[in-house]
Amino acid sequence: MIRRLCIIGVGLIGGSLARALRRAGAVGEVVGAGRNPQHLQQAQDLGVIDRWHTDLEAAVAGADMVVVCVPLGAMEAVFRAIAPALSDDAVLTDVGSAKGCVVAAARAAFGEVPPTLVPGHPIAGTEKSGVAASFAELFEGRRVILTPLPETDDHAHAQVRAMWEATGAEVVDMDVALHDEVLAATSHLPHILAFATVDSLARMHDHEEIFRYAAGGFRDFTRIAGSDPVMWRDICLYNREAILEVLQRFEADLARVTRAIREADGETLLELFRHAKAARDAHEAMLREAENNGVRGEE
Ligand code: NAP
């Protein structure tokens, strides 16, 4: 049971976490914090938080759990702002989509990584943002990755694990660097490709005609290009190394496809499409099995 929870950044993820913990009866008071009074008041009106502050020091005072749910680019400034007021026994965690940069931000802001910091990342979300899009069921049957460090306090780690389990999520631990590599490949690359595809088509002079005839496949493939541009700019900037590595590999593979098409090399194309289809079918089967065991497919 969390006595006083402070959510910094009451948007889709922060709002959904507060709603889920309230629904589970796992939290006493919820204090919201951020920079926009109107959005925070909206969160209070929706019953997501009990009260709010734009002064982050005031917001974290007396909290036993502080969850930072702002875009990656704002993490260090938030850590710096709360450092003077955070009590020694308050557990600190975040939900950022990359983890190496959050650890670096904490080190820069606090001088060292606090033992009470347990970096985390819920593998759940939608292409919507803001508190109005938040809902209590978002994390049900989803995975949450925690990336504790050698200096992380066991009690803090257990508290954050229990918090996410109360939302209905399955919690797994992972090394920071491995997290950033895995997410670069499975989430960041597909989002970048979706944004780049839509942008490229939208720049074509006859794009209205093109979009008019775009079919279901286009819609499926590009749904995630409706995601928040600021969040995705930050992910690209703050998980840069891992993303560059996966992009370079992808560029080489795309060049192979281009060459096969140019050279009318049907054999290579068939082999590539068969290989991709088999991998996709196997992944689908794995997701179905996980769903049968109560873990939903990832975003
Ligand atoms: P969101 O709905 O846009 O919410 C972000 C919140 O952060 C808003 O309340 C915003 O307040 C606040 N904020 C933005 N910049 C700030 C700053 N400089 N100082 C203080 N508050 C600030 O975004 P989200 O989807 O919840 O994402 C939040 C975090 O979760 C990000 O780090 C993202 O990488 C991570 N994440 C997202 C997803 C996803 O699918 N969406 C999944 C997993 C993890 P305002 O009202 O003032 O704008």
Side-chain angles (χ1 to χ4, degrees), residues 1-63:
M1 174 81 181
I2 300 166
R3 202 176 30 78
R4 183 182 293 168
L5 169 71
C6 175
I7 301 266
I8 303 178
V10 192
L12 171 70
I13 301 294
S16 297
L17 176 60
R19 286 184 194 267
L21 292 173
R22 273 194 193 287
R23 192 186 55 159
V27 66
E29 187 185 30
V30 184
V31 180
R35 54 182 183 172
N36 185 321
Q38 273 127 25
H39 292 168
L40 290 164
Q41 187 56 47
Q42 183 189 17
Q44 186 174 332
D45 294 343
L46 289 169
V48 174
I49 55 176
D50 296 305
R51 57 188 177 88
W52 55 266
H53 290 280
T54 50
D55 173 351
L56 298 192
E57 279 195 45
V60 299

Side-chain angles (χ1 to χ4, degrees), residues 9-14 34-36 39 69-72 74-75 78 95-97 121-122 124-126 129-130 231 235:
V10 192
L12 171 70
I13 301 294
R35 54 182 183 172
N36 185 321
H39 292 168
C69 305
V70 300
L72 291 172
M75 289 283 175
V78 167
V95 298
S97 302
H121 179 200
T126 71
S129 48
M231 173 178 146
I235 289 173

Side-chain angles (χ1 to χ4, degrees), residues 162-241:
M163 175 183 79
W164 283 112
E165 284 174 350
T167 70
E170 184 201 14
V171 181
V172 293
D173 289 345
M174 203 183 269
D175 170 73
V176 171
L178 180 63
H179 168 279
D180 288 358
E181 281 166 33
V182 168
L183 269 292
T186 56
S187 168
H188 306 170
L189 177 69
H191 277 83
I192 292 164
L193 296 184
F195 278 120
T197 303
V198 177
D199 177 62
S200 175
L201 295 193
R203 282 173 199 279
M204 291 182 184
H205 69 279
D206 49 356
H207 68 268
E208 280 177 17
E209 200 67 358
I210 290 173
F211 283 118
R212 185 168 307 138
Y213 293 106
F218 176 82
R219 200 171 176 198
D220 286 352
F221 179 68
T222 60
R223 177 183 60 81
I224 51 181
S227 304
D228 182 47
V230 171
M231 173 178 146
W232 283 97
R233 175 205 59 193
D234 282 7
I235 289 173
C236 289
L237 295 179
Y238 287 86
N239 196 25
R240 198 160 144 253
E241 298 302 323

Side-chain angles (χ1 to χ4, degrees), residues 126-150:
T126 71
E127 68 281 15
K128 304 209 168 58
S129 48
V131 72
S134 66
F135 56 103
E137 299 77 18
L138 178 60
F139 310 109
E140 257 174 30
R142 299 281 185 172
R143 288 206 174 89
V144 172
I145 301 175
L146 302 182
T147 60
L149 302 160

